[in-house]
Amino acid sequence: LDRTIELYQNYLTIAQEIGDRHGIGMAYNNLGIVYKTRGDYDRAIEYYANYLRIAEEIGSKGGIGVASSNLGVAYSAIGEYDKAFAHFERHRIISEETGSRIGQAAAHANLGGVYQYRGDYEPARRAYELSLEISHALGEKQGIALLNTCLGSLCLETGELAKAEEYYNEAERIGRKIGDKTMLIDILSGLALVKQSKIKAPGTAYADALAYAREALKYSEDLKTRTGIAASHLTLGKLIWGEALELRK
């Protein structure tokens, strides 16, 4: 990533020298993306904010929408949900003004995530369902799988286990079809938690839950995602400990 940062910095310098405002904005955005990928959210926010400023100055609604969405994601990552919500809401408004259906779907999904974090489950559900409806209309398979995963997670939190399993199963079907291992990590982990929540006695149900969790861990290891590996180990630990407690009864 150091080399990528160097190249984008060089591009930014050239764009500044020739007065290319659009190029300056794109360089800021790309640098923000790299720093976000690195986990340096403070630097990412700095660059995204610069991109937003440039987009506002040149009157680029598309740029304002992208910058707002990226800022929302970065603020969510550091737990500043009020700021995240404001940026996601601005992205939603811009997307509606420009008629960007993809932007609307993304904005509603992101707003749903903030609502869910806050425990505002019904607004979260409505936001996810709106995003899912748009994704279906666009035939966007990855978006459909993602929103089914989000709704599965929501239903798991609210104790609607049958609905949660239904949403996760649909997400799994699509995820396997398109071969998205990153998405499957969350889906399979969700299914493992649903199975765990439905367990009344040790045996087959635990075996199903463990199978999902182990497959999620395998994909995390394949992709070398440290957070995914850690989360999968945590899920496996909970399942194995839960089964051990049930066997002792």
Side-chain angles (χ1 to χ4, degrees), residues 214-228:
R214 286 182 176 128
E215 190 175 4
L217 175 59
K218 179 183 180 300
Y219 288 143
S220 297
E221 291 174 338
D222 288 346
L223 298 172
K224 296 179 172 61
T225 59
R226 295 181 68 183
T227 54

Side-chain angles (χ1 to χ4, degrees), residues 5-156:
I5 290 171
E6 181 184 348
L7 291 170
Y8 284 142
Q9 287 285 6
N10 289 341
Y11 177 67
L12 174 61
T13 300
I14 294 168
Q16 288 171 329
E17 287 174 351
I18 65 176
D20 179 3
R21 302 289 282 164
H22 177 74
I24 293 169
M26 292 305 297
Y28 280 138
N29 187 52
N30 288 333
L31 282 162
I33 291 169
V34 176
Y35 278 109
K36 172 184 168 290
T37 302
R38 223 184 207 184
D40 188 345
Y41 294 105
D42 289 338
R43 293 294 297 278
I45 287 168
E46 178 186 338
Y47 282 112
Y48 288 148
N50 281 330
Y51 177 37
L52 178 59
R53 175 177 54 80
I54 295 291
E56 288 172 337
E57 289 173 357
I58 66 177
S60 171
K61 284 195 171 183
I64 293 169
V66 170
S68 296
S69 180
N70 287 344
L71 279 164
V73 171
Y75 277 119
S76 289
I78 60 175
E80 295 196 34
Y81 290 100
D82 289 343
K83 289 181 180 179
F85 188 90
H87 285 295
F88 289 145
E89 179 64 9
R90 189 176 189 191
H91 181 215
R92 181 191 67 77
I93 292 168
I94 291 287
S95 296
E96 289 182 355
E97 289 176 351
T98 59
S100 171
R101 298 289 279 162
I102 292 174
Q104 290 169 42
H108 283 301
N110 286 328
L111 286 165
V114 177
Y115 279 128
Q116 184 177 349
Y117 173 81
R118 289 174 171 173
D120 295 332
Y121 293 121
E122 287 313 306
R125 194 190 308 270
R126 287 194 296 272
Y128 288 149
E129 288 174 346
L130 275 170
S131 184
L132 180 59
E133 181 183 333
I134 295 169
S135 296
H136 272 297
L138 295 172
E140 219 287 295
K141 297 295 186 186
Q142 192 170 36
I144 294 168
L146 173 63
L147 269 300
N148 274 286
T149 305
C150 291
L151 283 161
S153 170
L154 177 67
C155 290
L156 182 59

Side-chain angles (χ1 to χ4, degrees), residues 142-185:
Q142 192 170 36
I144 294 168
L146 173 63
L147 269 300
N148 274 286
T149 305
C150 291
L151 283 161
S153 170
L154 177 67
C155 290
L156 182 59
E157 283 189 29
T158 57
E160 301 167 88
L161 299 182
K163 282 186 179 180
E165 189 168 17
E166 184 179 333
Y167 282 123
Y168 278 128
N169 283 336
E170 177 64 8
E172 182 192 12
R173 183 186 67 79
I174 298 169
R176 291 192 188 281
K177 187 173 182 180
I178 64 178
D180 191 325
K181 287 186 177 181
T182 302
M183 185 176 291
L184 281 167
I185 293 168

Side-chain angles (χ1 to χ4, degrees), residues 165 168-169 172 187-196 212:
E165 189 168 17
Y168 278 128
N169 283 336
E172 182 192 12
I187 296 167
L188 295 168
S189 296
L191 279 167
L193 292 172
V194 170
K195 293 292 185 184
Q196 181 190 29
Y212 282 125

